[in-house]
Amino acid sequence: MTAEDWAKLIEQLNTLPGGAGRAEPDFFGNLITDELAPVTSEWDFDGWLLKDGRVLILRLDEMQHHGMRLFVVDPEDEHAIARADGELITAARASGTSPLILFLLALATGQIDDNKRLKIHAPLVDGAAKDLMLMTVCRLCG
C-alpha cells in the first residue's frame, strides 16, 4: 500500500462519530480486555489481549525495513496473519492513529491480503474489522 492509501483509510476512520479514536472501543471493545497485551516476541509493537486469552499482536517485521506483521498468539502456537510495508507505521505516527486499527481496516477492505487467515484464527476480530470497514469505507453504509 502507498502512503496515499494509508492516508485515505485514516481520512475515512476520522469520519466515525468521535473520530478514529472511537474505532477501538466501539468496534473491538467487547473482544479485548483493558489489560496490556503480554510480550510475545522481542519484535512486538502494538497489541491487544483478547477476552478469550489470546493475543492479537502487531510486530515489527525483522525481514522488511519498518514493515509490520500481524499475529494471533494462543498458548499453543502463533499464527501469522499478514504483512504491511513501512508506510503503515509512518502514516499511523503522522496522524496519531492506531497502527493496529489501520492494519485491521486495510485487511477488511482487501487492500492487504491475509488469505482469510484472520477469519480462521480470530473470526470475531475479523467480523468487527469488517463492521468498521462498512461504517467508514463503504459508501452504502457509512
Side-chain angles (χ1 to χ4, degrees):
M1 290 182 55
T2 67
E4 293 79 25
D5 295 330
W6 291 114
K8 183 71 174 167
L9 286 180
I10 292 165
E11 179 183 314
Q12 291 167 325
L13 272 172
N14 286 325
T15 66
L16 287 173
R22 294 299 313 163
E24 181 181 320
D26 290 353
F27 292 88
F28 302 95
N30 64 327
L31 304 175
I32 61 178
T33 70
D34 292 334
E35 299 173 41
L36 293 175
V39 175
T40 63
S41 161
E42 66 183 278
W43 301 100
D44 289 0
F45 183 80
D46 189 15
W48 296 332
L49 178 59
L50 301 174
K51 287 184 178 177
D52 65 9
R54 296 176 306 144
V55 178
L56 184 69
I57 198 79
L58 192 57
R59 294 181 182 160
L60 297 171
D61 188 347
E62 67 275 11
M63 304 304 250
Q64 182 185 10
H65 185 64
H66 298 293
M68 305 298 286
R69 295 181 70 193
L70 184 67
F71 288 84
V72 173
V73 180
D74 60 44
E76 294 85 38
D77 202 1
E78 60 181 36
H79 309 280
I81 304 300
R83 292 180 178 199
D85 60 28
E87 295 294 336
L88 166 63
I89 194 66
T90 302
R93 283 183 176 155
S95 66
T97 304
S98 163
L100 186 52
I101 293 289
L102 278 176
F103 198 108
L104 290 170
L105 185 57
L107 282 175
T109 62
Q111 291 174 286
I112 294 177
D113 182 17
D114 70 343
N115 203 23
K116 300 194 186 290
R117 287 184 288 270
L118 186 61
K119 185 175 184 173
I120 292 166
H121 296 291
L124 296 176
V125 173
D126 182 69
K130 288 179 178 159
D131 288 346
L132 175 62
M133 182 267 304
L134 289 174
M135 292 306 295
T136 58
V137 177
C138 178
R139 291 298 138 223
L140 297 175
C141 307

